[in-house]
């Protein structure tokens, strides 16, 4: 596990800095920075503010994922499944939360709504070629490796 600083700016006084649930948690929890509870109707998506901006170190990307407990217990998850936060973005982190459940769901102020994981990435230099090398799989697509 690598460790290092990530600079965070509170944009709102009631914002909560991300926290790790345990010593070995990969994802840091992000908190709803809202002044009152927000109700999401079934099938509805609402943009939830976190009240923070951050300086993600160059060479890393912040990936925002669902918190499994929120998804399982409430049917709430980020609408785009995974958000990509580039290292040159300095705006507020906002999470589009979608209600997948058949019931109204409530997000409370200071509730943990998602998690962010910092991951190194590879910046490709795309080069066009006439042919690609053969592999055992070849062009086999969906389901081509079998079910079991």
């Amino acid at each position: 596990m690598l460790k290092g600083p990530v600079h965070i700016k509170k944009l709102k006084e009631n914002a909560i800095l991300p926290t790790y649930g345990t010593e070995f948690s990969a994802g840091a929890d992000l908190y709803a920075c809202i002044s009152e509870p927000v109700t999401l109707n079934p099938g509805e998506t609402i943009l939830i503010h976190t009240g923070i901006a951050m300086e993600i170190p160059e060479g890393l990307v912040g990936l925002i994922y669902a918190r499994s407990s929120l998804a399982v217990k409430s049917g709430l998850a980020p609408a785009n499944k995974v958000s990509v936060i580039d290292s040159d973005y300095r705006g507020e982190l906002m999470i589009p939360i979608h209600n997948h459940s058949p019931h109204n769901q409530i997000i409370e102020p200071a509730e943990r709504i998602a998690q962010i994981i910092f991951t190194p990435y590879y910046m490709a230099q795309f080069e066009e070629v006439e042919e690609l090398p053969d592999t055992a799989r070849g062009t086999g697509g969906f389901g081509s490796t079998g079910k079991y």
Side-chain angles (χ1 to χ4, degrees):
M1 147 183 29
L2 302 174
K3 293 184 179 183
V6 173
H7 300 134
I8 294 184
K9 179 180 180 180
K10 278 188 171 186
L11 303 174
K12 298 178 182 171
E13 188 175 319
N14 61 332
I16 300 171
L17 298 184
T19 61
Y20 288 99
T22 70
E23 178 184 1
F24 297 108
S25 295
D29 292 326
L30 298 172
Y31 294 82
C33 185
I34 52 180
S35 57
E36 58 188 37
V38 172
T39 300
L40 283 91
N41 299 314
E44 184 177 24
T45 300
I46 295 179
L47 197 60
I48 303 294
H49 292 255
T50 65
I52 61 170
M54 60 179 60
E55 177 188 356
I56 297 173
E58 186 177 321
L60 299 180
V61 61
L63 300 175
I64 297 178
Y65 295 97
R67 293 191 69 248
S68 56
S69 61
L70 193 63
V72 170
K73 294 178 182 177
S74 303
L76 298 177
N80 53 343
K81 307 306 178 213
V82 178
S83 295
V84 175
I85 311 299
D86 297 309
S87 63
D88 58 350
Y89 177 66
R90 294 296 185 272
E92 180 180 8
L93 298 186
M94 295 181 284
I95 317 298
I97 298 291
H98 183 77
N99 182 359
H100 293 277
S101 83
H103 309 288
N104 287 349
Q105 298 294 339
I106 297 173
I107 296 176
E108 299 285 345
E111 184 173 351
R112 295 178 294 168
I113 55 168
Q115 59 183 323
I116 188 166
I117 296 175
F118 300 99
T119 306
Y121 63 91
Y122 181 82
M123 181 68 73
Q125 295 176 343
F126 299 101
E127 298 176 0
E128 184 177 3
V129 296
E130 294 295 322
E131 295 292 327
L132 298 174
D134 288 332
T135 65
R137 181 176 182 169
T139 60
F142 298 110
S144 67
T145 61
K147 189 171 181 177
Y148 298 97

